[in-house]
Amino acid sequence: MHGRPRKALTEEEHGASSLKAAKLRDLQSQVLHFHHNKIYTEEAIEISAKLLESNPEHYTGWNYRKLAVQYRLDRRSEDGVDSESIQSILDEELRVVENALKKNFKSYGAWHHRKWVLSKGHSSTDWELRLLGKFQKLDSRNFHAWNYRRFITALKKIPDEEELQYTTDMIYDNFSNYSAWHNRSVLLSNLMEKGGKRYDKENVLGEEYEFVRNALFTDPDDQSGWFYHLWLLDQTLKQEPVFLSSWPPNGSNLYLSLDGRLKGQQSLPILHFQSKARKFPLVLYFSEAVEGVSSSTVTVEYHDGDSLLWTPLSANNFGFSQAWLTYLKFPDEVPSSEARPVKVTIAHFPGITSSRGMPCSQSCHISFSVCVTSDDQEHTEVQSSHRISWKEENFKARATQSIEANLLHSFSKLEITKENKPSTPKWSMEIISTEIAHCRELLSTTNCKIGKLTLARLLMAHKTLTSYGIPDDGTEVHYEDILALYQDLMKMDPAHICFYEDDYSLVLLKQLTSNIESLLKHCDRYQESSSPSTNPYLCVRLNGLSLSRIGSTEHLLWVQMLDLSHNKLRSIEGLETLQLLSCLKLSHNRLCSFTSLEPLKKLKYLEVLDISHNEIGAHSIDTRRYLCSSPLTHAVGSDWYFQKFVDGDVKLNDHWDAYLLFKDLNLIQLEMIGNAVVDERFKAFLLKLMPELKWLDGEKCR
């Protein structure tokens, strides 16, 4: 069992163990011989039974018996033997499995083999339920037995209502039964999906919250009921995905600059984008990860009118993403300085679905205009060779002027409009408020860490529903209270501090981006007095906030310059949605590998990157390093040209992850000093890999 220390074996025990191991090796050798040579004699099958009854975890042994049984059944069918002969073969299999389970009740292979036998349709399911009853008396929480029970009840077509009562009885017998709580969630999911007055979602959730509350108040430190409470909370908040924000934002006027300069507009921070190719990204952000965003479900009416290719901006490759990207291009014949309207219809036709299977059925629209400005080749050359300095003196007074506040309001879609407001019922808020009150009551009498975690989640759920426009019922909820709960949890449970730090970071970012006033406090204008030719950046500075995770990026799609230095970031997942990002500072964090920077490969316009003073190369073992494709696995295709960028001193197995990252970036300025991986040979490797790089660790390269 977990947590039990092992005792040293005596000589007698060691001798018995060695003898047992020798017998198992002999049986295993024989079974493998039978398997490879397709020998299915009575003697061979009997030997395999001895092996499996001694060692139920031998998966090849179970697979061999499946082949042997199927072979014997096929022979019986050809000979026209009666059903009793077939029944005897399958009964023997059930006997072997039962003996194996007596040896190890948690053997995956044994339970799967028993399912396979029952699926043949010749065995008694009544006996299986009686057998399960015996096993569950020995261990009522064994999830293998509960999983098998669901399989048997499906075969017997036992109503979910009847099984629900069974889980109720098991929970009353022992409310610490995780598996019973889980089985209850499975059954109720099926019943609520079928619908009906008895299993209306509002009624079911109300009754279940009351039911689980008895367990929570009886023993607050038992986690089984809290996990079920978390499932109930998830069901309460479950809704259709909705469109949240976009870039360009709705109602905006975008100036598409070919050179980065807007004549006559230098003093004003306006909505503009630089692209010599006369194209710009269009980003759509949803309330949760979705799939199905395509030219069929999203229509874009603009000058070109061609079919667009949409790609997910998720760090993973499962096809679901909160943010989706396409590019709009304006051909050369489009007159300069003439505004062109663009209209986007989201969910124009069905097909957008969340990862939880909920369809996006509410169609909504955004519109903006695009004006292509003239080229200025001389200015382009000056700005591209200029070095960005992150010194404090280059960041002017915070953007509190009314004109900048208005601009920021157009950049950030911080409110959900009536058109795309989710159809969350009013009773959801009532349930959440009731649970907040009960949770606070419980915590007034006990210092329960999982209770505090649940309260923090309930308070955030209340905030989420409020942001969706559901009327507040008077329950006071403040971000400061939620952050205080996570601070308490970090002190109470230091073993899981990283988990709490991540949640704390997400709440803090929600607070900072919840309204224009709070976000403006972190916005400065970047303008060097020594280089007035460069356009000013509106920079978001989230440095020194102890952030370990990135969130709330739906409010930051407009950001071109971002300072995340002096935090606790171990990953930058989420930054891939900030498609306009040009300058990024990640110095003094906890990034320990180039793999943790994978999202940067999605940022095609990133030119300035500061990852100095992190932990890259400082750890001899870094499991995150192997989350991306290695050239050694032949998974990166035919574009692997590593050798031409290195000399004899740079080894393939040391820097392949750096190659896979930087070969896709278009950097002109890079800061890496303070990382263990950096030396002169590595710098030379980077200069060969990135010919456009002009500044490396403060020194001009070309």
Side-chain angles (χ1 to χ4, degrees), residues 149-163:
R149 183 180 185 88
R150 285 190 289 274
F151 170 76
I152 293 299
T153 55
L155 285 181
K156 287 180 65 63
K157 297 182 179 180
I158 296 176
D160 288 338
E161 293 88 341
E162 187 176 325
E163 277 300 289

Side-chain angles (χ1 to χ4, degrees), residues 187-196 199 238:
L187 294 168
L188 284 173
S189 296
N190 295 336
L191 291 168
M192 286 190 292
E193 187 175 345
K194 293 176 184 176
Y199 292 101
K238 190 175 181 180

Side-chain angles (χ1 to χ4, degrees), residues 395-563:
F395 294 93
K396 307 306 178 185
R398 287 173 177 167
T400 55
Q401 301 174 24
S402 60
I403 188 169
E404 292 176 319
N406 291 336
L407 177 65
L408 186 58
H409 196 282
S410 69
F411 281 171
S412 314
K413 183 168 184 173
L414 298 178
E415 294 181 357
I416 300 176
T417 63
K418 293 181 179 180
E419 184 180 27
N420 63 317
K421 190 178 294 182
S423 55
T424 306
K426 184 179 179 181
W427 58 259
S428 297
M429 178 67 86
E430 295 172 355
I431 285 181
I432 296 299
S433 298
T434 300
E435 291 306 303
I436 289 174
H438 285 299
C439 205
R440 283 173 169 166
E441 178 188 354
L442 178 61
L443 290 174
S444 67
T445 59
T446 180
N447 196 26
C448 169
K449 64 181 181 182
I450 195 168
K452 288 192 173 186
L453 179 60
T454 301
L455 178 57
R457 288 168 170 166
L458 285 168
L459 294 174
M460 274 305 298
H462 189 282
K463 278 287 188 183
T464 300
L465 294 178
T466 303
S467 69
Y468 288 165
I470 298 178
D472 192 349
D473 60 349
T475 302
E476 289 192 18
V477 176
H478 305 287
Y479 282 112
E480 292 79 8
D481 297 334
I482 306 173
L483 295 172
L485 285 169
Y486 281 113
Q487 289 173 333
D488 287 346
L489 287 167
M490 292 179 208
K491 298 174 183 176
M492 292 175 62
D493 188 15
H496 300 101
I497 190 171
C498 292
F499 174 84
Y500 300 129
E501 285 178 342
D502 284 354
D503 277 7
Y504 178 92
S505 300
L506 295 179
V507 176
L508 180 59
L509 287 170
K510 279 287 186 184
Q511 180 187 34
L512 297 181
T513 60
S514 60
N515 56 69
I516 294 294
E517 291 73 22
S518 61
L519 186 54
L520 275 172
K521 295 176 182 178
H522 295 272
C523 293
D524 287 341
R525 291 184 66 186
Y526 176 86
Q527 178 71 72
E528 293 186 43
S529 56
S530 60
S531 182
S533 61
T534 59
N535 285 326
Y537 286 104
L538 188 57
C539 176
V540 174
R541 306 183 73 188
L542 301 174
N543 52 312
L545 298 176
S546 298
L547 300 175
S548 63
R549 188 175 174 184
I550 295 167
S552 299
T553 54
E554 69 270 24
H555 302 314
L556 304 173
L557 300 181
W558 50 273
V559 174
Q560 291 179 297
M561 190 173 194
L562 179 61
D563 185 355

Side-chain angles (χ1 to χ4, degrees), residues 594 655 658 662 672 677-686:
F594 292 113
H655 299 304
F662 288 110
M672 287 197 61
V677 71
V678 178
D679 56 25
E680 293 305 316
R681 296 189 186 94
F682 185 69
K683 286 184 178 182
F685 160 64
L686 290 178

Side-chain angles (χ1 to χ4, degrees), residues 126-314:
D126 291 331
W127 165 247
E128 295 303 300
L129 284 177
R130 289 195 295 271
L131 181 65
L132 277 171
K134 293 179 181 179
F135 278 133
Q136 289 188 303
K137 282 184 179 179
L138 298 174
D139 183 2
S140 63
R141 303 193 302 179
N142 185 278
F143 71 90
H144 297 278
W146 280 94
N147 185 41
Y148 187 67
R149 183 180 185 88
R150 285 190 289 274
F151 170 76
I152 293 299
T153 55
L155 285 181
K156 287 180 65 63
K157 297 182 179 180
I158 296 176
D160 288 338
E161 293 88 341
E162 187 176 325
E163 277 300 289
L164 186 64
Q165 182 58 48
Y166 177 79
T167 65
T168 303
D169 296 338
M170 294 295 285
I171 290 169
Y172 275 131
D173 184 59
N174 177 12
F175 62 76
S176 187
N177 193 329
Y178 287 81
S179 297
W181 287 112
H182 170 69
N183 198 55
R184 191 175 187 84
S185 69
V186 173
L187 294 168
L188 284 173
S189 296
N190 295 336
L191 291 168
M192 286 190 292
E193 187 175 345
K194 293 176 184 176
K197 186 175 181 180
R198 172 66 182 86
Y199 292 101
D200 173 73
K201 188 175 182 179
E202 179 182 359
N203 294 330
V204 169
L205 294 181
E207 292 174 0
E208 291 303 301
Y209 274 116
E210 185 175 353
F211 179 64
V212 74
R213 198 177 302 131
N214 294 325
L216 301 181
F217 273 76
T218 302
D219 186 358
D221 292 319
D222 184 86
Q223 296 185 1
S224 56
W226 289 110
F227 281 119
Y228 186 69
H229 190 279
L230 178 60
W231 176 79
L232 292 175
L233 177 59
D234 182 67
Q235 295 301 304
T236 306
L237 299 175
K238 190 175 181 180
Q239 60 193 4
E240 293 184 8
V242 294
F243 166 70
L244 289 184
S245 63
S246 68
W247 196 91
N250 184 38
S252 62
N253 299 307
L254 172 66
Y255 288 84
L256 183 58
S257 168
L258 305 182
D259 59 2
R261 188 179 187 187
L262 301 173
K263 295 180 179 179
Q265 303 283 354
Q266 295 93 327
S267 61
L268 302 180
I270 67 171
L271 186 63
H272 76 281
F273 185 80
Q274 177 188 355
S275 172
K276 292 182 179 180
R278 301 169 73 96
K279 71 176 183 179
F280 62 91
L282 171 60
V283 180
L284 303 180
Y285 200 101
F286 294 84
S287 58
E288 57 184 291
V290 298
E291 67 172 354
V293 176
S294 67
S295 56
S296 299
T297 56
V298 177
T299 59
V300 182
E301 302 172 36
Y302 77 116
H303 178 83
D304 195 336
D306 291 340
S307 179
L308 300 173
L309 176 64
W310 289 91
T311 56
L313 284 175
S314 174

Side-chain angles (χ1 to χ4, degrees), residues 42-54:
E42 294 285 350
E43 181 185 1
I45 294 173
E46 185 177 343
I47 290 174
S48 71
K50 291 180 180 179
L51 171 64
L52 292 168
E53 288 172 357
S54 300

Side-chain angles (χ1 to χ4, degrees), residues 241 286 288-293 312 319-322 324 352-355 360:
F286 294 84
E288 57 184 291
V290 298
E291 67 172 354
V293 176
F320 290 90
S321 177
Q322 283 189 270
W324 287 77
I352 300 177
T353 309
S354 73
S355 56
C360 180

